[in-house]
Amino acid sequence: MLDKNGIAQRIAKEVKNGYYVNLGIGIPTLVANFVRDDIEVEFQSENGILGMGPFPFEGEEDADLINAGKQTITALPGASFFDSSMSFSMIRGQHVDLTILGAMEVAQNGDIANWKIPGKMVKGMGGAMDLVASAENIIVAMMHTNKKGESKLLKQCSLPLTGVGCVTKIVTNLAVLEIKDNAFYLVERAPGVSVEDIKQATEGTLIIDGEVPEMQL
Amino acid sequence: MLDKNGIAQRIAKEVKNGYYVNLGIGIPTLVANFVRDDIEVEFQSENGILGMGPFPFEGEEDADLINAGKQTITALPGASFFDSSMSFSMIRGQHVDLTILGAMEVAQNGDIANWKIPGKMVKGMGGAMDLVASAENIIVAMMHTNKKGESKLLKQCSLPLTGVGCVTKIVTNLAVLEIKDNAFYLVERAPGVSVEDIKQATEGTLIIDGEVPEMQL
Amino acid sequence: MINKKVANVSEALQGIQDNMTLMLGGFGLCGIPENAISELVKLNIKGLTCISNNAGVDDFGLGLLLQKRQIKKMISSYVGENDEFERQMLSGELDVELVPQGTLAERCKAAQSGFPAFYTPAGYGTEVAEGKETRAFNGKMYVLEEAFKADFAFVKAWKGDEAGNLIFKGTARNFNPSMCGAATITVAEVEELVPAGTLDPNQIHIPGIFVQRIFQGADYEKRIEQRTVRQKA
Amino acid sequence: MINKKVANVSEALQGIQDNMTLMLGGFGLCGIPENAISELVKLNIKGLTCISNNAGVDDFGLGLLLQKRQIKKMISSYVGENDEFERQMLSGELDVELVPQGTLAERCKAAQSGFPAFYTPAGYGTEVAEGKETRAFNGKMYVLEEAFKADFAFVKAWKGDEAGNLIFKGTARNFNPSMCGAATITVAEVEELVPAGTLDPNQIHIPGIFVQRIFQGADYEKRIEQRTVRQKA
């Protein structure tokens, strides 16, 4: 079973040479720490930077340089700043190659819910609705089950949707899964996790096609 | 009767303090020469400059600095350069206060035709359709009649339209006219031109309301 | 050159009234019009509808207006950093319209550019699209979203000149450029106001035609919301 | 940093084929991709559809492609400076679609930004609107115009870096920025190509994400179409 860093580490393997990548808040942010040094990648943050670097050293924070999570960041050589409209031109125009974000629920038809729980304070969708509706390549990073132990991979989302039919890949603490033909296809097991464990934790239709390899990190 | 410079001189009086102005090719270009020095005005050229200055001195031409007529120009202090999309945001968004352009025909309902003569080589509308469809304040600068002596102020345009119901004021070699209620209202006579001369040269409905003053240049 | 310079924030806000709709630039606390917000607090303008990506924190940014109950409605994409906001929203004192971030930016930009409405894929199939026209183009579904209408836009730039030309810095740019010219009156406050002709005309982000009033702001706090650092190796 | 640098114009045009649709930046002869046009002539690519505000003059710019009958169709706003163009159009050899200038820019920009279509007032009530959807918003009529689709966009910038970031100069900017990322492959040629990190990230007009290939152009003629001067007093 993976921890949050393990999920991020596995997702980092999906980041290919030449990719522009948008990372959501939470586990996705950790992915940057695990991307191989020998490939060319640029991180986009939707508040207006391409070529985002690591957090600044103590004392070098710049109030005018933050990411979408409002954290102080740095800019790498080759970076650029732009306004929100151009930022979403990059996203909507499918110039960003990969979007990684968290979710509360994913359905087997690719629907995703990650912004609102009825009855609780609604903080807003931020850029998530634009990202999921626009990106061709979306990976969801999340725990397989919620705090109550209930599956987050469902036949149908119960929470208000963020986007419809948009998720193609999910990496959880238990498995890597792909969505097609209205089902979750089990692609890899996390280290030490059995197919049976994954079946137990998945409410939606789970397709197991032959031997399922353990993931290599 | 005015010549082209006279028409430009009369139109210059319509240019008010604080106006951003787009000047078309031909007579409108001459207007810049007659704008009072004591008011603040900026000229926009739709190929991407605000704060356009006069032509450069010999030897100071810059191939990267032209106006919409492809002529070499200069930039005044406070000028800015921008792309075509932003340029038409200024125009479509009605940030440009006054548009002055030429015409082949104007109809008494405000329709304008200035881009195409069937059977002749069509050069294109350039930015004229965007300008006339967007601007709230359009002045047409033209001769009252064409080379054959036929009126260019018509009940209805015979040529393909550039825009519908958009012209509000016309300055010709004979008169200043306003368009309202589907008619041309005679506002001023050019020096030495009689109301009768203007009647003769106007095919569309001409409204003469009381004494018509001679224009002051 | 058309001079847009006004003496101070007080002159810049001339004409502001209760129940107006305002656009305010900034992302989180980054690039917000601090001087304009302070003046709105001082003038105690009430019943405001604020179009702004976020709602500040309890004691800074738009949070200052919320404390004094000056805001009737917020139109934002994310409002989660503010306890007073939560209290007012849950009690029904504050009306909130949540808009996807890219849609928020483009509804401003559309107003700037004279586009009445636009089709975006964001929010299709969600409650954001409820009651709105949806339409397929090339097999993909889009939602029709309308341009905003606002009375004042308050933006913050790094440098500006008397002609109203603006240059932004870093990610403090964010929503500010798209709000310029998107309201009846755009007020720009800048950290440094220079004479016309000082800025390179190639480097201007927003030409002065989109700005009605400009002034040099004072006492910028530029508070950092999430100070995050790494250790030197 | 994702490196977009290619060695030369030949490498930059890899994959170009007959019958493709191209976008080409420039206004008149100002800011045109001179190197890409020369290479298209050299490769003798035929049957092209060219989206470009103008069609060059007889012996420069797109006129060079017209001379060799490489263009099947032009999509432009103004084409009046070219005798060969006129001859081919009147004889029916060349297909021409005239588009209002602002609409031309925005059909490129829409492709760049992922907007399938947009409503503009330009051309309403004229033959440009024939066969197109029209619609009223707030009592004003608009025409629905669709985003362009193109295989290659050829743009010319002043400075660029290896990451593909671009800076334009003067009015040579014009249509170039809106065409970046509006085609499957965007090729930028620049007068000066510098290492990544050299350009101020605040001053970049087009971020490298919109550019697939960049190279330093050679032998820019930058011909002036209408040399106009005034006399010293």
Side-chain angles (χ1 to χ4, degrees), chain B residues 55-56 61 63-66 70-72 81 83-85 88 116 121 123-127 130 133 161-162, chain D residues 54 77-79 86 100-103 106 121-122 126-127 140 169 171 173-175 222 226-230:
Chain B
F55 299 130
E61 311 91 325
D64 292 330
L65 188 41
I66 64 169
K70 283 100 176 178
Q71 297 169 306
T72 44
F81 303 120
D83 67 31
S84 300
S85 175
F88 284 92
K116 185 174 181 178
M121 166 67 186
K123 295 186 171 184
M125 68 292 280
D130 305 272
L161 296 182
T162 308
Chain D
N54 312 93
S77 89
Y78 191 81
V79 293
E86 182 166 351
Q101 194 176 137
T103 300
E106 209 60 29
T126 77
E127 62 182 55
K140 179 165 178 163
K169 179 166 162 275
T171 58
R173 196 183 312 188
N174 57 63
F175 284 82
K222 300 218 268 185
Q226 302 282 344
R227 189 177 303 272
T228 321
V229 297
R230 68 186 146 135

Side-chain angles (χ1 to χ4, degrees), chain C residues 29-100:
Chain C
L29 301 178
C30 182
I32 58 173
E34 295 186 17
N35 284 251
I37 291 170
S38 297
E39 186 71 8
L40 287 167
V41 171
K42 189 176 144 202
L43 294 172
N44 200 23
I45 306 296
K46 301 270 191 189
L48 295 170
T49 296
C50 293
I51 299 166
S52 174
N53 189 57
N54 312 93
V57 295
D58 278 309
D59 62 345
F60 203 58
L62 289 181
L64 298 171
L65 295 177
L66 286 164
Q67 275 183 6
K68 289 186 66 188
R69 312 256 200 300
Q70 294 178 248
I71 301 178
K72 181 176 66 183
K73 180 177 181 180
M74 282 296 311
I75 302 176
S76 304
S77 88
Y78 192 82
V79 293
E81 334 279 5
N82 195 314
D83 291 337
E84 176 61 17
F85 184 99
E86 184 167 350
R87 195 198 60 69
Q88 289 184 27
M89 190 178 88
L90 294 177
S91 72
E93 290 168 66
L94 181 67
D95 190 11
V96 178
E97 179 181 340
L98 291 168
V99 176

Side-chain angles (χ1 to χ4, degrees), chain B residues 17-18 35-41:
Chain B
N17 188 44
V35 174
R36 282 163 47 190
D37 287 341
D38 61 340
I39 63 171
E40 295 180 342
V41 173

Side-chain angles (χ1 to χ4, degrees), chain B residues 1-2 173-175 188-199 212-214:
Chain B
M1 189 153 65
L2 302 176
N173 52 328
L174 303 184
E188 296 174 17
R189 296 171 293 110
V193 174
S194 69
V195 167
E196 193 54 36
D197 294 335
I198 296 163
K199 273 187 187 167
V212 179
E214 190 173 289

